[in-house]
Amino acid sequence: MSFQLPPLPYDYQVLEPFVDKETMNLHHTKHHQTYVNNLNGATKDSDIVAICQNIKNYPVAVRNNGGGHYNHSLFWKWMAPVGSSNVAPTGTLKEKIEATFGSVDEMKKKFTDAALTRFGSGWAWLGVQKDGSLAISSTANQDNPLMAGVADVEMIPILGLDVWEHAYYLKYQNRRAEYIQQWWNVVNWDEVVKYYDNFASKNNPVPINQ
Amino acid sequence: MFANIARVLAQSSKKSLPLVRSKHSLPDLPYDFNALEPVISAEIMQVHHQKHHATYVNNLNVAEEKLFEAKQRGSVSDQIALTSALKFNGGGHINHSIFWTILCKDGTSEPEGELAEAIKRDFGSYQRMVDLLVATSTGIQGSGWGWLGYNKQLNRLDIVACANQDPLQATTGLHPLFGIDVWEHAYYLQYKNARPDYVKSIFKIANWRKVEELFGKARHD
């Protein structure tokens, strides 16, 4: 049973003007598809979460493409058209964020900073560590915080932002700061809260449909 | 009035003036933005040069200023903390400064002279060298550069990949001869995800005369 490209939960243009239609199309049908194809060529194993957690046992092609497949599968879910989700975290996650960072705005500042200071390609993350505390980090290339022994901060990611140039270049060119600022408009906080409540708070990684 | 000015100038020349630390500046492109069309679009050249390279120059200057201040304060720790910023931005400045010069409108004929002999000796043929450089550059995960470089100790050409803006010589000891920027910003507006097409096409605009010059300098200096 090989990995599949998950369908987008929405049409390519619905995140406009924050994330443009052409980028969503290319990002999904070319970049993510390529990770899926290459991953299928690189391993016969099928549990992507287990692969990420044991990434040191796999060749680099699996690290790059397995990470790419996991990260992007969640990325599409972490975004939603304006108006379809709460514009801020709610419930326990909101309390946890406030307790950890002082406020949601402070958390966003730290996350933005992580996204800005990741030199080259990579991702910024908000996640839950083993002791249940929230943390923010960034990783290079297609690494993610599930990758034990690879990620600086090991945690269960509940929100991630792709800062590879392909994620923003067509619309923003070198203006990564502007991309990050605009991206906050399309964060699907209801989904993030679900991921925290149902998975990360119970020390379980968020699953993806394989 | 002139007597006053003369007096002021005479007085100030007796004081020791602060040492003016030279700053890096963005080198001009040796051609117009559209010179490398259709291989690299004018739009890419403009953003790549005026935004990306300019930012590396600015940030390098900022990092070096902070380094100077940290040294003045006697803080080794703060100097060390600046290493990443220096590598990122210094590397970016070095790499792009070379990059603009090894490309030219319509490219040149293939390598000649000493460089041609070295390529034949170390790779078998020009085409095999190109194939290896294409494969190396295309295969870089994330951001980086593919380089044809010269190992002076072994008198041998080599092809390597560098991550991010890691500068070839400081990182590997190889003298840079021909490099291919495979950060997505170098090609995305035109080629989208088709990095292989961009990398293969770049040989149509390669300035082998410049590369021969760089090789000569590396060999004989």
Side-chain angles (χ1 to χ4, degrees):
Chain A
M1 183 55 190
S2 55
F3 297 103
Q4 306 280 336
L5 178 71
L8 280 193
Y10 37 71
D11 288 338
Y12 293 120
Q13 78 281 1
V14 306
L15 303 181
E16 294 261 8
F18 310 107
V19 184
D20 60 295
K21 173 184 176 182
E22 195 184 3
T23 293
M24 288 303 292
N25 190 328
L26 284 168
H27 205 172
H28 181 245
T29 64
K30 304 285 184 195
H31 292 274
H32 189 174
Q33 180 71 73
T34 301
Y35 291 128
V36 170
N37 296 344
N38 291 348
L39 179 61
N40 286 329
T43 181
K44 290 284 166 272
D45 290 348
S46 59
D47 182 343
I48 190 63
V49 167
I51 288 172
C52 289
Q53 290 173 318
N54 297 290
I55 205 65
K56 298 205 94 177
N57 298 334
Y58 288 91
V60 72
V62 176
R63 178 171 165 178
N64 295 340
N65 297 289
H69 177 42
Y70 183 80
N71 300 343
H72 288 84
S73 294
L74 287 180
F75 190 50
W76 314 131
K77 313 282 283 288
W78 281 323
M79 297 187 290
V82 173
S84 65
S85 156
N86 274 300
V87 299
T90 55
T92 316
L93 179 58
K94 174 175 190 271
E95 288 164 20
K96 211 70 202 189
I97 288 174
E98 285 166 350
T100 310
F101 301 102
S103 67
V104 172
D105 276 345
E106 275 307 310
M107 181 278 290
K108 286 163 85 170
K109 268 202 203 123
K110 284 218 153 60
F111 188 101
T112 296
D113 194 62
L116 271 174
T117 55
R118 168 52 56 181
F119 191 77
S121 312
W123 289 72
W125 306 101
L126 171 69
V128 180
Q129 297 182 285
K130 255 208 184 70
D131 64 359
S133 62
L134 292 180
I136 284 169
S137 72
S138 74
T139 52
N141 298 336
Q142 293 299 346
D143 292 346
N144 65 46
L146 291 179
M147 293 180 176
V150 158
D152 285 341
V153 178
E154 288 174 24
M155 57 187 188
I156 292 169
I158 56 170
L159 177 64
L161 172 59
D162 191 347
V163 290
W164 281 60
E165 285 173 326
H166 66 239
Y168 59 91
Y169 209 81
L170 293 181
K171 183 177 169 71
Y172 297 98
Q173 286 90 61
N174 64 308
R175 304 183 308 279
R176 190 192 281 190
E178 194 185 325
Y179 158 64
I180 298 167
Q181 191 190 30
Q182 296 303 312
W183 173 80
W184 286 113
N185 287 299
V186 295
V187 169
N188 185 349
W189 284 111
D190 293 344
E191 196 76 2
V192 178
V193 163
K194 248 197 339 203
Y195 291 159
Y196 177 78
D197 289 342
N198 298 347
F199 301 105
S201 63
K202 303 172 183 174
N203 205 20
N204 291 327
V206 180
I208 62 169
N209 296 328
Q210 303 290 73
Chain B
M1 181 179 68
F2 291 106
N4 288 339
I5 292 170
R7 203 179 313 129
V8 166
L9 285 172
Q11 282 171 342
S12 68
S13 67
K14 287 177 190 147
K15 296 179 199 156
S16 56
L17 293 166
L19 185 64
V20 175
R21 293 190 292 284
S22 61
K23 285 178 180 251
H24 301 281
S25 57
L26 180 67
D28 288 332
L29 285 185
Y31 35 69
D32 289 338
F33 293 128
N34 61 6
L36 305 181
E37 300 241 3
V39 175
I40 300 180
S41 68
E43 190 188 9
I44 286 181
M45 290 306 290
Q46 181 156 11
V47 180
H48 203 173
H49 181 250
Q50 309 269 282
K51 304 288 181 190
H52 292 275
H53 189 175
T55 300
Y56 291 131
V57 171
N58 295 341
N59 290 347
L60 174 60
N61 286 331
V62 167
E64 283 191 341
E65 187 63 38
K66 288 185 182 161
L67 187 70
F68 181 86
E69 283 161 9
K71 191 171 192 315
Q72 291 225 295
R73 271 183 283 115
S75 172
V76 176
S77 173
D78 286 357
Q79 287 180 75
I80 292 170
L82 288 163
T83 334
S84 293
L86 284 169
K87 186 160 83 160
F88 294 162
N89 296 293
H93 180 39
I94 291 170
N95 292 337
H96 289 84
S97 298
I98 296 170
F99 192 50
W100 312 133
T101 67
I102 50 148
L103 303 174
C104 66
K105 182 172 169 52
D106 300 328
T108 64
S109 57
E110 288 180 9
E112 294 165 359
E114 276 190 332
L115 179 61
E117 284 164 24
I119 288 173
K120 189 142 191 263
R121 180 195 66 211
D122 296 332
F123 298 101
S125 68
Y126 168 74
Q127 191 54 53
R128 290 188 67 188
M129 182 279 290
V130 167
D131 291 344
L132 184 56
L133 185 50
V134 166
T136 300
S137 304
T138 309
I140 290 173
Q141 170 68 197
S143 308
W145 291 70
W147 285 101
L148 171 69
Y150 175 62
N151 184 327
K152 201 172 160 103
Q153 274 67 46
L154 300 179
N155 186 26
R156 198 182 65 192
L157 296 173
D158 206 352
I159 283 173
V160 299
C162 287
N164 294 334
Q165 294 297 350
D166 293 357
L168 183 71
Q169 191 157 0
T171 317
T172 69
L174 297 176
H175 293 255
L177 300 180
F178 186 82
I180 305 179
D181 186 353
V182 292
W183 281 64
E184 286 171 326
H185 67 238
Y187 60 89
Y188 207 80
L189 292 177
Q190 185 177 351
Y191 292 87
K192 312 297 191 296
N193 66 307
R195 186 194 275 183
D197 291 349
Y198 155 71
V199 171
K200 287 182 195 143
S201 299
I202 214 166
F203 292 92
K204 297 181 189 158
I205 51 171
N207 182 351
W208 291 111
R209 301 293 87 79
K210 179 65 182 179
V211 182
E212 286 154 12
E213 183 194 311
L214 292 175
F215 182 58
K217 280 204 182 96
R219 277 208 76 190
H220 303 297
D221 280 359

